[in-house]
Every structure is written in structure tokens, then in C-alpha cells.
Amino acid sequence: MDNRAGEMMVFVRVVEAGSFSEAARLMLMTPSTVSKLIARLEARLGVRLIERSTRRLALTGEGQFYYERSQALLGQLDETEQQIAQGGAEADGIVRVTSSVTFGTAALEPILPNFFEAYPRVVVDLSLSDDVADLYMERTDIAIRVGKLADSNLMARKIGETRRRIVASPAYLARHGTPRSPEDLVHHNCLGFNFRRAMPVWPMREGGRIVERMLSGSLLANNGETLRRMALAGVGIIRVADYHLRNQIARGELVELLVDCDLGETDDIHALFKGSQFLPARVRAFLDFTVPRMQAFLEQK
């Protein structure tokens, strides 16, 4: 009897659980049984898939490839069985999606009611965070990310581009004055981000050269939505994505600053996902429905 699918399931669960013992607990098996199954799989393939240590498990290159293909094949198997059992090819099941707080609230959330109407059997498990999710370890189907993409085996659909604007409320500027040059910002309350990849500098053009001003303020936040609210409350000056500010700028609730110092640089926005031709119907449906609408949102002026 060919039990390759069972070996794949155990291997995938070990990788996602991060340990043999946790995978065994989740699958109602003993750790020794799980260990023997993985050893048998490696022996059959003739390669080592997992490097064992006392602290953690790490995939080899072959292990990473086998994990990605196993996930895709098992997902396709689940989808096929669901469609046969339900008598149709309608997309259903859970789609796990992660996005930054600002883009998720501004561009994705308004689309969801229409998506649910079009695909009533799909459940969206949405997490909004500016932390970078690991699609493999956190069992995420789609991640919407702003900025340069790291080299990876993930697939990507480009949604669009954005640039950052420096803004403050009229009330703040009335109390503290309006900065006329990047140098003036050192005398202002500049609010920033606190996640690790964020740098406390704002790159700008000053006197024909590019400068990176080291700035500080009374608040560091892990998402742009908090910064936007603080700016509207007159707390300080912020630099966040323009799609999140356009309505407030148009209504005069926020004022754009140092426009002539803008470098004109843009950040790409992508939807990242696992797999290719083996993409589950529910994931493909979500991408096909939301990506064009998010693109249209970014193209609005």
C-alpha cells in the first residue's frame, strides 16, 4: 500500500508545529511514531529533510522544497474531496489573510462585504498587523505587503504603488509652527514606528542633496492607523502612506508638509501567496476578486 500522502501529512504537521512532540500531540500519535515516519520518509527519498537539534527544527533545502510541494498537493487533495462531496466546484473553506493595519482598513475591509456576497461559503480569517508574517510557519494563505520583496519561493501579484507623505493637523501647526525645511523637523514632535525594520529617519531632499534626518517624538506605534489618529488629534507630525491620508488632506484635516523635499520614491504593494498551479479555489477566488479592486483603490486620486 502506498502511504505517501500520510507521510506528507505527518511531515507538514511537524514543520508547522515546530517539533515532533507537538506534531504528535496534534495528530494523536506518539512522538516515537512520528519520528519513525519522518525517518522512513527520508530513507525512501534518500535525503535529509529536517536538521534536528535540541532547541529547534530546521528544514534543509530539499526539506523546504518538499514542504512547499506537499502543502500544495495536500491542499489540492482536500479541495478535490470537498468539491466531490459537495457536488460542485464552488470555492469554500477558510482563507487566512494578513495585511498591514493601514492598508487592511483602507483598501481591503471595504471590499469584503461584496466578496462575502459573491462567495458565501468562504470564511476569511483576517489579521491586521504591521509585523511580517511567515506564510509557512503561521499557516497564512495570503500576505499583503508594502515595500521591497525579499527573495523567496512565494508567488506574488502586484497590487500597485504608494509613497509616503509628511503631514500634521492645522491645530498642531498653529501651536508649533510649520516646518519649512527638513532641518526644522528636529524641533518638532515627529511620531514614528516601533517595529524592528523601521528606521527613525525620514529621507528627504535638501539643498540639492539627499539627507536622512534622525527624528524623535513622544510616540512610537506598531501601525500607521494609530499614527494617523494621533496626527488628527494634533499630537505631532507623521510620515505614512498616502492612500491612508488622501481623504483627510482633501478635507483640510491634515496638511501636507515639505512637498518640495519629497524624493518621489514609491513602495510597491504585493499580494504574496504559496503555490502556483495547485492554488486552492478559495485562495484563487480571493485573489481574483480583491486584487483588481485594491488596484482601483490605489489609482484613485
Side-chain angles (χ1 to χ4, degrees):
M1 178 179 177
D2 190 341
N3 195 33
R4 286 180 292 179
E7 291 176 348
M8 280 185 178
M9 291 177 64
V10 172
F11 175 73
V12 168
R13 185 53 61 90
V14 167
V15 174
E16 293 178 345
S19 72
F20 285 72
S21 58
E22 179 62 14
R25 186 187 68 81
L26 293 171
M27 301 188 74
L28 303 178
M29 302 169 68
T30 65
S32 62
T33 299
V34 171
S35 180
K36 289 177 182 178
L37 283 171
I38 298 301
R40 187 175 71 186
L41 173 62
E42 291 178 325
R44 180 168 59 81
L45 296 176
V47 296
R48 181 171 289 277
L49 301 174
I50 300 176
E51 296 290 354
R52 287 84 159 168
S53 72
T54 56
R55 300 185 62 183
R56 61 187 296 270
L57 302 179
L59 291 177
T60 64
E62 293 83 1
Q64 182 66 41
F65 177 79
Y66 190 77
Y67 171 69
E68 293 168 9
R69 295 306 298 268
S70 296
Q71 268 205 327
L73 290 169
L74 291 172
Q76 187 182 40
L77 177 61
D78 287 343
E79 181 183 351
T80 299
E81 292 184 347
Q82 289 174 10
Q83 290 177 3
I84 292 174
Q86 295 161 3
E90 181 180 359
D92 71 345
I94 298 176
V95 181
R96 294 177 174 85
V97 184
T98 181
S99 170
S100 68
V101 178
T102 54
F103 193 81
T105 55
L108 180 56
E109 285 183 0
I111 298 171
L112 292 181
N114 290 333
F115 175 80
F116 295 138
E117 184 176 351
Y119 296 97
R121 294 166 66 173
V122 175
V123 175
V124 177
D125 184 338
L126 178 63
S127 297
L128 299 183
S129 172
D130 282 14
D131 292 332
V132 177
D134 186 316
L135 271 70
Y136 292 107
M137 300 309 296
E138 298 182 29
R139 301 183 65 192
T140 300
D141 297 305
I142 301 168
I144 299 172
R145 292 184 183 163
V146 180
K148 184 178 179 180
L149 294 180
D151 292 336
S152 72
N153 294 321
L154 297 173
M155 306 296 290
R157 288 192 190 179
K158 185 173 180 180
I159 298 172
E161 299 176 345
T162 185
R163 69 179 183 89
R164 299 183 185 276
R165 298 191 187 192
I166 300 173
V167 299
S169 71
Y172 174 88
L173 298 175
R175 292 195 307 271
H176 302 283
T178 300
R180 303 299 179 184
S181 70
E183 186 177 5
D184 293 342
L185 290 174
V186 299
H187 306 295
H188 285 269
N189 192 29
C190 298
L191 315 181
F193 293 97
N194 62 8
F195 38 84
R196 285 184 298 173
R197 67 185 188 279
M199 298 293 292
V201 296
W202 293 356
M204 288 170 281
R205 192 181 308 279
E206 182 178 17
R209 61 191 180 92
I210 297 175
V211 297
E212 292 186 338
R213 289 291 176 187
M214 184 74 68
L215 303 169
S216 62
S218 59
L219 175 70
L220 296 174
N222 68 350
N223 66 87
E225 174 63 13
T226 296
L227 296 182
R228 185 180 69 93
R229 291 174 180 172
M230 291 300 100
L232 287 169
V235 174
I237 299 175
I238 64 172
R239 180 177 179 266
V240 299
D242 59 359
Y243 59 77
H244 201 48
L245 305 170
R246 60 169 70 129
N247 292 335
Q248 287 72 36
I249 293 175
R251 292 194 295 262
E253 298 169 353
L254 292 173
V255 178
E256 188 171 7
L257 306 172
L258 302 172
V259 177
D260 294 338
C261 302
D262 184 17
L263 296 179
E265 295 178 330
T266 59
D267 290 322
D268 290 339
I269 303 177
H270 290 87
L272 303 183
F273 53 96
K274 298 171 289 189
S276 53
Q277 69 267 34
F278 300 113
L279 205 61
R282 62 187 184 277
V283 177
R284 189 179 301 279
F286 188 90
L287 290 168
D288 290 346
F289 189 94
T290 62
V291 168
R293 289 163 174 80
M294 290 187 288
Q295 290 171 337
F297 168 79
L298 288 175
E299 291 168 0
Q300 295 175 11
K301 302 300 181 182

